[in-house]
Amino acid sequence: MIKHLAVKLKSLVLSTGLLLVSSGFVQAQESGAVAHGGEREFYMAFIPGDWHILPRQKQSERYYGEWIPKNQQAENWQDMIILQIFPGQGDESLQDSKRPEKALDRIAAAYKKNCSAMAATDALNDQVNGYWTGFRLIYCAQDLSGSTGEISLFRVTIGRNATYIIQRAFRVPGFELGQKPDPVSAQRLKEAFGIIRQGWICQEKTDRSCPENWAGTFELITSLNPAVYSFDANGKASD
């Protein structure tokens, strides 16, 4: 099963072209999310325009935002994007290439405790705009607290000031690992990977500077809580 998932993750990379995208491509997206990690460091993520954000929350030392399609409800969602930010958990040197994998290992360990059976790929690592990032595909056959299973693609990016995690989750009926057909089609996984790979970090007044035309948006976000916001095609933050 693990080998099968590893092949699947690599095939997603190949099917979407480059592993990651340039910051210029992300800036052209119609809508998305932005999170402030401190010291004017921002993580920008693509969110489809027909999804909406649920009430934002802060738990312990993390902020997070959750998005679902507009035709789904929070109580019984089937598709979700989660953007989490952990302020103070960055890497000032930006040299530790193993940090994303370690974070992904902690995520996999949590799923192992809460799933009847689970499988996960090895981390797939790269750099974007000078920041280390890692991907992992996780299958949870059935949540121990209910009757549903979950398939999720994770991406962890380590900034100077914070760790950023974006997740594309599919909630499905409980299943057997390795069953055919797959609970989530290859096309839907390809689309999911296409979403989470379109994220990047920028930091104002550094060599990894942010888009100048979004200066007003970033100024607003640094002065408000919580630290995760949606933005529209004009870079305007919204609830």
Side-chain angles (χ1 to χ4, degrees), residues 4-235:
H4 167 71
L5 290 184
V7 171
K8 179 170 294 206
L9 182 57
K10 290 179 180 179
S11 70
L12 291 176
V13 174
L14 294 174
S15 67
T16 51
L18 295 175
L19 173 58
L20 300 163
V21 295
S22 70
S23 59
F25 184 76
V26 177
Q27 292 176 40
Q29 295 306 314
E30 295 181 354
S31 60
V34 59
H36 180 221
E39 301 296 328
R40 305 189 75 81
E41 175 183 273
F42 303 95
Y43 183 90
M44 305 172 68
F46 170 59
I47 306 292
D50 58 350
W51 291 49
H52 68 99
I53 189 170
L54 300 177
R56 292 160 300 200
Q57 300 186 47
K58 180 181 185 297
Q59 289 186 352
S60 185
E61 298 181 353
R62 70 173 178 138
Y63 290 95
Y64 67 94
E66 299 171 323
W67 290 258
I68 59 175
K70 291 180 179 178
N71 62 354
Q72 295 184 22
Q73 303 300 315
E75 296 77 17
N76 56 1
W77 63 268
Q78 295 176 303
D79 303 276
M80 182 176 284
I81 297 171
I82 305 101
L83 176 59
Q84 302 180 71
I85 174 175
F86 296 82
Q89 298 186 31
D91 175 20
E92 179 66 29
S93 71
L94 298 181
Q95 299 299 312
D96 189 351
S97 62
K98 296 296 184 181
R99 285 284 291 273
E101 184 173 354
K102 292 175 182 176
L104 289 166
D105 286 346
R106 290 192 292 271
I107 292 170
Y111 271 85
K112 188 173 183 179
K113 289 181 180 179
N114 292 289
C115 298
S116 61
M118 65 83 69
T121 63
D122 291 335
L124 186 61
N125 301 312
D126 203 353
Q127 278 185 303
V128 181
N129 205 26
Y131 299 91
W132 285 105
T133 192
F135 294 83
R136 175 164 281 163
L137 176 62
I138 293 179
Y139 275 52
C140 172
Q142 183 172 317
D143 189 317
L144 293 178
S145 64
S147 60
T148 60
E150 182 184 308
I151 297 173
S152 281
L153 273 163
F154 285 89
R155 178 184 175 187
V156 172
T157 304
I158 308 298
R160 292 184 185 276
N161 300 288
T163 290
Y164 307 87
I165 302 176
I166 187 165
Q167 173 188 359
R168 172 61 169 95
F170 298 88
R171 180 188 278 170
V172 297
F175 60 92
E176 297 291 332
L177 295 180
Q179 77 174 44
K180 300 294 182 180
D182 208 74
V184 176
S185 69
Q187 180 60 35
R188 294 188 73 199
L189 284 175
K190 177 181 176 180
E191 292 170 355
F193 186 76
I195 289 173
I196 68 169
R197 75 187 183 106
Q198 296 184 62
W200 62 295
I201 294 176
C202 67
Q203 188 168 21
E204 292 186 322
K205 299 180 181 180
T206 70
D207 57 353
R208 299 174 175 85
S209 59
C210 300
E212 293 183 2
N213 59 313
W214 287 6
T217 297
F218 294 144
E219 192 66 35
L220 171 65
I221 292 170
T222 58
S223 64
L224 297 175
N225 282 323
V228 178
Y229 273 81
S230 290
F231 64 82
D232 61 19
N234 299 313

